[in-house]
Amino acid sequence: MFAVHLMAFYFTKLKEDHIKKVDRFLYHMRLSDETLLDIMTRFQAEMQKGLGKDTNPTASVKMLPTFVRAIPDGSESGEFLSLDLGGSKFRVLKVQVSEDGKQKVQMESQFYPTPNEIIRGNGSELFEYVADCVADFMKTRGLKNKKFPLGLTFSFPCRQTKLEEGVLLSWTKKFKVRGVQDTDVVNCLTKAMKKHKDIDVDILALVNDTVGTMMTCAYDDPYCEVGVIIGTGTNACYMEDMSNIDLVEGDEGRMCINTEWGAFGDDGTLEDVRTEFDRDLDLGSLNPGRQLFEKMISGLYLGELVRLVLLKMAKAGLLFGGKISSTLHTKGKIETRHVAAMEKYKEGLANTREILTDLGLEPSEADCIAVQHVCTIISFRSANLCAAALAAILTRLRENKKLLRLRTTVGVDGTLYKIHPQYPKRLHKVVRKLVPNCDVRFLLSESGSTKGAAMVTAVASRVQAKRKQIDRVLALFRLTREQLVGVQDKMRAELEYGLKRDTHPLATVKMLPTYVCGMPDGTEKGKFLALDLGGTNFRVLLVKVRSGRRSVRMYHKIFAIPLEVMQGTGEELFDHIVQCIADFLDYMGLKGAPLPLGFTFSFPCRQTSIDKGALVEWTKGFKATDCEGEDMVDMLREAIKRRNEFDLDIVAVVNDTVGTMMTCGYEDPNCEIGLIAGTGSNVCYMEEMSNIELVEGDKGKMCINTEWGGFGDNGCINDIRTQYDKEVDEGSLNPGKQRYEKMTSGMYLGEIVRQILIDLTKQGLLFRGHISERLRTRGIFETKFLSQIESDRLALLQVRRILQELGLDSTCEDSIVVKEVCGAVSRRAAQLCGAGMAAIVEKRRENQGLEHLKITVGVDGTLYKLHPHFSWILQETVRELAPRCDVTFMLSEDGSGKGAALITAVAKRLQQAPKGK
């Protein structure tokens, strides 16, 4: 019994001694946690360098965009062919993906050899061989003369400019085919395929094996957004935010980046980590000085590293009694499969003895223990280095998503990871230690990267089909120049109809005279009260105008108009207005002061003088009864009388558009047009009296309130109205009326977007086909959300947050589509507005008989002010459609209330002017 214990002690001591001996010899291959964190930081810096346009050319980690923008969502279906070229064998695969409510993939495949003469020959021979193999596969399975979408897994660094194109940067592994570098491999394969007349394939995707691995695993686990290969070679890919990829246009959504991390350290970044064995291995390789990180990690090189270490130890007399066999001297005699066998838990030592004996050596027990430990150190270092780079990727993902804790899945493939008994466990442990704030699941890719290429192709087919459907909808909102010129011409015709006595009753653009006949000249002065009613808020203002210096000071208060008042009786509405005036006069200490008053009333009125205006019809959600056809000034005077607390001199009733023009005209004498692009949409302009048949006299000018919101109510723009415009119109308070306004104003744009989103969701193109209750709710999608979503500064993550606030659980792809829909609707609105404005400025130019007109448009309204693109699209459209007009757009900073006061001031000035002036 004692002898047994003694032997065990002796054996343990022997093992410890030999392990320490190896540890001392391979000291530099044992990496501390501190070193790994440092490598992780270096890799993060290299990733950043690779993503930057200016720094990419000198980056060792190339961070190649793959143009794979989406992972499988389970709705893919169809039959696909997939090819996998990049290893010792070439594989052809037919994949059938069926949806049927449950994801199902059926595969049949065949392997073909890749002979040395092919992988070291010329390009045309390689691709013709691949095409021949595909033809053979299709012939044996009766697939000829049938069209297939095809995905190609090509496991070499390529620069892609689109998904179905890839220019080979360099061969790696054992491939050295001539005449392929710097050419498009998809084009090469397509040419070779064309020689087989009975093969009909459409190459939709070129992917790296790493991307294929990620896509294979993502089909089973939607959290998978990283792919890693640890096999003959090593590489990783992951989903990066487009906004971080300088190498590709656009910043919407995400794209898979093929890191090509095997080249990490090619610029000398890892010189302090590399050992003499790494340098010897590199010098003897096919590509000295390149893929240095891969040469410390991957299966192609681990066996050779072990051989170089054993050779040096034997030469130093630390192994095999200093005896070296000729086989140990021979490059490539120890392979990674040998390393994996030697590290097996129970039979490892026996395997080691057998392998060493096959190498012509006579190992002792101690030698076997030492060699086994050499294998452990080299494979452990491989897992550590891999973990450090992977931890850098996971950290980047977490930071991109601005999360404190990330939940994600890493798809893994490769023979080293699969066959080495300890490798996965070591890798997982180190990754979790380096990134404790990431919950990582490692998922083995059972079907390899070839299935992944089929999945990329399936996703590309799905995205392509989805894109076509979405484009069909968005195309309805893309107006051609011809259509815009048509709108301009029709608007011009309607302006003329509205001005003429005979055609006015049937005109949709009512061209209402405002009896505002003069613009401010700078001599106006005094205190004026102004009211501004045109939406859910009502403003009361005190405006002090000083002459000479064109100085205006304003004091105002905003009051809400409750919905029950907006849609109650006219008496209730005007009593509420007078109550607000009383509160303001109290607040300002002005009760009893006989102030002249200007009333901005932003609804269509038929005026017979500057202080008389009969309401034509309510718009913008107002429905107060007993008002239409009545004089609004009389109704206000009656309400003041009922209150019997103060008296006011109501000098002018004006539209908000006229108020805007007057405000800007006070600053710029060239301002003769007013535009409102806000809750509603309208334009006014100064027209020659000789053209206004509705009013007596033909001297001078008068401001015309076009009320252009009704343009198209006679069906003249039906050719550009969509089903969504019709749905919005039918669900509005005034169906069939204000059709142009319903296509251009803030009150309706959000509702148009909501109708489109519902339709796209019904087609299964958005929100996984689920229409939430919130999306069914009219008015939920306010126009302010369009402005926020279309903001250039807003990342997709924030767009998703806005949609989530609206109860819409969106994916990244959904957010992109929603942003596109918002853009299409608002762009059309701005272009239509621009076409209408082009008709107005061209009319002013022709009225004055000018070759070239210089004019200013005063603008107000939340849509114009707050939307990130509306103003410049509108201006661009006017420039394009009215090239002989130099139009300046001037923002009305103080709103239409100030304009009402200025009109009142001008009216007072004109009243007080000596007769005959």
Side-chain angles (χ1 to χ4, degrees):
M1 189 67 184
F2 176 73
V4 172
H5 281 298
L6 194 63
M7 278 301 290
F9 173 76
Y10 167 75
F11 188 76
T12 306
K13 191 83 179 74
L14 178 77
K15 192 171 184 180
E16 281 175 5
D17 289 346
H18 281 78
I19 286 172
K20 281 177 184 171
K21 176 173 71 177
V22 172
D23 283 343
R24 280 195 299 274
F25 194 79
L26 296 181
Y27 172 76
H28 290 296
M29 282 197 173
R30 296 175 69 82
L31 305 175
S32 67
D33 289 352
E34 193 180 348
T35 303
L36 292 177
L37 286 166
D38 183 39
I39 292 167
M40 180 178 156
T41 305
R42 293 183 214 181
F43 189 71
Q44 282 175 304
E46 281 299 313
M47 288 169 78
Q48 192 60 43
K49 203 172 164 186
L51 287 169
K53 188 177 275 180
D54 298 335
T55 48
N56 176 272
T58 57
S60 59
V61 179
K62 282 300 176 196
M63 304 294 282
L64 304 171
T66 65
F67 294 83
V68 172
R69 294 171 185 261
I71 57 174
D73 67 0
S75 66
E76 293 76 17
S77 61
E79 285 187 311
F80 308 93
L81 280 183
S82 181
L83 314 181
D84 189 354
L85 180 65
S88 52
K89 289 177 183 171
F90 164 61
R91 189 182 184 197
V92 184
L93 184 80
K94 177 180 157 281
V95 180
Q96 183 157 359
V97 184
S98 50
E99 192 185 351
D100 304 334
K102 51 181 184 288
Q103 294 167 236
K104 207 166 83 179
V105 178
Q106 291 176 302
M107 298 187 292
E108 45 184 304
S109 69
Q110 191 169 330
F111 284 97
Y112 294 89
T114 46
N116 261 336
E117 61 271 20
I118 291 292
I119 65 171
R120 301 277 176 92
N122 66 53
S124 56
E125 287 170 353
L126 171 69
F127 290 106
E128 280 166 19
Y129 174 73
V130 170
D132 290 345
C133 293
V134 174
D136 175 71
F137 179 84
M138 294 180 82
K139 183 182 175 184
T140 54
R141 283 161 180 76
L143 303 174
K144 286 201 170 183
N145 302 309
K146 187 176 177 183
K147 190 174 180 69
F148 281 93
L150 184 144
L152 169 62
T153 300
F154 190 73
S155 312
F156 305 96
C158 284
R159 176 160 281 115
Q160 291 186 259
T161 50
K162 44 190 171 184
L163 184 58
E164 68 280 13
E165 181 185 280
V167 173
L168 177 69
L169 294 177
S170 62
W171 289 112
T172 57
K173 295 169 252 193
K174 291 182 177 176
F175 279 67
K176 272 280 186 183
V177 183
R178 296 183 302 280
V180 183
Q181 204 165 320
D182 298 324
T183 63
D184 175 15
V185 293
V186 173
N187 190 35
C188 295
L189 181 57
T190 304
K191 279 182 188 167
M193 290 284 198
K194 278 181 179 167
K195 292 181 181 175
H196 294 269
K197 303 295 180 195
D198 47 1
I199 290 181
D200 188 3
V201 294
D202 186 8
I203 304 176
L204 291 186
L206 170 78
V207 298
N208 184 279
D209 54 348
T210 324
V211 181
T213 295
M214 182 189 78
M215 293 298 271
T216 299
C217 294
Y219 188 69
D220 299 316
D221 181 346
Y223 282 98
C224 183
E225 48 192 347
V226 182
V228 177
I229 296 278
I230 312 165
T232 310
T234 183
N235 193 14
C237 69
Y238 72 102
M239 296 301 288
E240 176 62 85
D241 289 356
M242 281 287 289
S243 55
N244 295 330
I245 308 170
D246 286 355
L247 306 168
V248 178
E249 287 297 314
D251 59 0
E252 304 302 345
R254 301 201 300 166
M255 183 183 283
C256 181
I257 289 290
N258 165 23
T259 64
E260 286 298 336
W261 77 7
F264 178 38
D266 286 7
D267 58 355
T269 316
L270 296 176
E271 278 313 296
D272 56 329
V273 178
R274 292 174 74 223
T275 66
E276 58 181 295
F277 307 108
D278 298 307
R279 293 185 181 94
D280 288 346
L281 180 141
D282 178 45
L283 286 172
S285 68
L286 282 170
N287 53 351
R290 298 170 76 175
Q291 299 294 105
L292 299 183
F293 191 59
E294 181 170 78
K295 285 169 184 168
M296 292 193 275
I297 290 175
S298 79
L300 188 61
Y301 304 103
L302 285 196
E304 184 60 11
L305 274 174
V306 168
R307 186 189 72 81
L308 291 170
V309 171
L310 299 188
L311 188 61
K312 183 153 188 186
M313 285 184 79
K315 281 179 180 174
L318 297 172
L319 281 178
F320 319 127
K323 292 175 185 169
I324 303 166
S325 67
S326 60
T327 315
L328 189 60
H329 268 294
T330 309
K331 182 181 167 185
K333 283 297 179 181
I334 299 180
E335 296 173 22
T336 297
R337 63 188 173 91
H338 298 133
V339 176
M342 288 190 271
E343 282 197 72
K344 280 199 172 167
Y345 180 58
K346 284 185 179 170
E347 60 265 43
L349 273 178
N351 290 343
T352 305
R353 181 176 293 280
E354 190 182 322
I355 289 161
L356 293 174
T357 306
D358 287 347
L359 289 171
L361 299 163
E362 295 176 8
S364 65
E365 193 69 39
D367 289 335
C368 291
I369 292 165
V371 169
Q372 191 181 42
H373 195 52
V374 167
C375 293
T376 299
I377 288 174
I378 287 172
S379 62
F380 215 129
R381 184 185 70 153
S382 165
N384 277 340
L385 289 169
C386 212
L390 181 54
I393 289 174
L394 295 171
T395 301
R396 186 170 180 89
L397 274 177
R398 185 181 60 76
E399 288 172 356
N400 281 352
K401 293 182 179 188
K402 296 178 173 59
L403 296 173
L404 291 173
R405 192 163 196 85
L406 173 74
R407 176 189 171 186
T408 194
T409 298
V410 176
V412 196
D413 200 0
T415 47
L416 179 56
Y417 185 88
K418 283 179 174 176
I419 68 163
H420 193 290
Q422 316 296 333
Y423 202 98
K425 192 167 62 181
R426 290 171 185 165
L427 177 74
H428 303 172
K429 188 176 178 181
V430 180
V431 167
R432 289 178 180 130
K433 187 160 57 170
L434 293 175
V435 279
N437 47 5
C438 296
D439 297 320
V440 191
R441 178 189 180 210
F442 290 86
L443 183 60
L444 189 62
S445 167
E446 296 297 342
S447 315
S449 52
T450 326
K451 175 185 168 186
M455 293 318 307
V456 173
T457 310
V459 170
S461 294
R462 167 176 63 80
V463 169
Q464 209 175 62
K466 182 177 171 178
R467 187 72 253 170
K468 278 179 186 166
Q469 285 174 279
I470 291 166
D471 282 346
R472 266 199 296 274
V473 170
L474 297 182
L476 301 171
F477 292 83
R478 293 191 184 112
L479 299 176
T480 62
R481 181 186 161 80
E482 191 183 358
Q483 285 173 313
L484 289 170
V485 168
V487 171
Q488 181 185 5
D489 293 345
K490 287 168 187 171
M491 176 68 83
R492 180 66 192 270
E494 285 294 317
L495 297 176
E496 301 297 348
Y497 294 154
L499 287 171
K500 291 188 168 33
R501 187 177 280 111
D502 296 343
T503 50
H504 177 84
L506 295 173
T508 58
V509 179
K510 284 300 174 194
M511 305 295 282
L512 304 172
T514 65
Y515 293 85
V516 171
C517 298
M519 298 293 284
D521 66 2
T523 64
E524 295 79 14
K525 62 181 178 179
K527 287 182 185 175
F528 304 91
L529 205 58
L531 311 179
D532 187 357
L533 178 69
T536 51
N537 289 330
F538 169 61
R539 278 200 312 159
V540 186
L541 306 93
L542 175 68
V543 182
K544 293 181 180 178
V545 183
R546 292 170 67 184
S547 63
R549 289 183 299 163
R550 290 184 181 252
S551 160
V552 176
R553 291 182 70 185
M554 295 195 303
Y555 309 87
H556 76 272
K557 205 167 180 187
I558 295 173
F559 301 89
I561 305 277
L563 186 66
E564 60 271 20
V565 173
M566 284 169 66
Q567 299 183 5
T569 66
E571 200 170 285
E572 286 167 348
L573 173 63
F574 280 92
D575 283 347
H576 180 77
I577 286 169
V578 171
Q579 175 65 55
C580 296
I581 297 170
D583 289 351
F584 180 76
L585 293 174
D586 269 349
Y587 173 70
M588 296 298 296
L590 289 170
K591 263 209 174 148
L595 294 171
L597 181 145
F599 185 12
T600 300
F601 187 75
S602 309
F603 302 93
C605 280
R606 186 163 279 109
Q607 288 187 254
T608 51
S609 67
I610 196 164
D611 64 346
K612 288 200 172 297
L615 176 66
V616 175
E617 62 184 342
W618 285 117
T619 57
K620 294 180 270 196
F622 276 72
K623 271 285 185 182
T625 57
D626 308 320
C627 291
E628 290 181 2
E630 298 296 323
D631 182 358
M632 295 297 97
V633 176
D634 285 348
M635 289 191 79
L636 179 59
R637 284 185 179 132
E638 289 297 320
I640 290 170
K641 272 186 196 167
R642 280 196 299 276
R643 181 91 185 182
N644 198 25
E645 280 183 23
F646 49 82
D647 197 16
L648 296 167
D649 177 15
I650 305 172
V651 175
V653 59
V654 299
N655 183 278
D656 56 345
T657 323
V658 182
T660 295
M661 181 186 76
M662 292 300 272
T663 299
C664 295
Y666 189 67
E667 308 289 337
D668 180 350
N670 270 339
C671 183
E672 286 198 343
I673 301 174
L675 165 67
I676 295 284
T679 309
S681 178
N682 195 17
V683 159
C684 70
Y685 72 102
M686 297 302 288
E687 177 60 270
E688 311 301 321
M689 282 289 289
S690 55
N691 293 333
I692 309 169
E693 294 185 5
L694 307 170
V695 178
E696 292 299 314
D698 58 1
K699 293 278 184 282
K701 293 188 280 194
M702 181 185 285
C703 179
I704 291 291
N705 166 22
T706 65
E707 286 299 336
W708 76 358
F711 174 50
D713 288 0
N714 59 359
C716 70
I717 55 172
N718 279 358
D719 58 320
I720 59 167
R721 287 178 80 225
T722 68
Q723 70 189 73
Y724 311 107
D725 296 307
K726 289 167 189 164
E727 282 160 359
V728 168
D729 180 38
E730 285 160 15
S732 69
L733 288 168
N734 54 350
K737 293 180 174 179
Q738 299 294 104
R739 288 181 178 177
Y740 182 65
E741 181 171 78
K742 284 168 186 169
M743 296 165 82
T744 56
S745 81
M747 185 157 183
Y748 301 100
L749 297 192
E751 190 56 17
I752 296 171
V753 167
R754 188 182 73 88
Q755 292 294 347
I756 297 169
L757 298 187
I758 286 174
D759 185 42
L760 293 177
T761 309
K762 279 179 184 170
Q763 293 181 52
L765 303 172
L766 271 183
F767 311 130
R768 300 173 184 85
H770 173 65
I771 302 175
S772 67
E773 277 309 308
R774 292 291 301 278
L775 191 57
R776 293 180 201 275
T777 310
R778 181 173 296 283
I780 180 192
F781 213 98
E782 296 171 45
T783 298
K784 69 174 182 181
F785 294 129
L786 266 77
S787 298
Q788 290 171 6
I789 286 168
E790 286 187 70
S791 168
D792 295 326
R793 297 189 303 275
L794 212 60
L796 271 188
L797 212 59
Q798 291 161 294
V799 174
R800 284 180 77 180
R801 210 163 285 142
I802 291 168
L803 294 174
Q804 278 163 0
E805 282 171 28
L806 294 171
L808 305 171
D809 184 21
S810 69
T811 63
C812 191
E813 288 75 40
D814 288 341
S815 303
I816 293 170
V817 174
V818 171
K819 195 165 184 174
E820 283 185 88
V821 169
C822 292
V825 170
S826 61
R827 182 177 183 81
R828 183 191 67 162
Q831 286 179 316
L832 286 173
C833 229
M837 182 57 72
I840 302 268
V841 296
E842 272 296 311
K843 178 167 173 48
R844 288 301 295 130
R845 186 184 67 77
E846 288 173 21
N847 278 354
Q848 295 171 57
L850 296 172
E851 189 61 34
H852 193 88
L853 173 72
K854 189 175 173 61
I855 197 165
T856 297
V857 178
V859 198
D860 201 357
T862 48
L863 185 59
Y864 187 93
K865 283 179 174 177
L866 302 180
H867 192 281
H869 309 304
F870 189 93
S871 57
W872 71 261
I873 294 169
L874 186 154
Q875 292 170 27
E876 193 180 68
T877 308
V878 173
R879 269 195 299 275
E880 197 177 322
L881 299 182
R884 288 192 280 176
C885 299
D886 180 5
V887 186
T888 301
F889 287 82
M890 181 181 184
L891 204 56
S892 166
E893 294 299 338
D894 303 309
S896 50
K898 174 180 168 183
L902 287 167
I903 289 167
T904 306
V906 170
K908 278 302 216 187
R909 171 171 61 82
L910 294 174
Q911 279 173 16
Q912 291 158 7
K915 296 266 193 247
K917 258 210 176 189

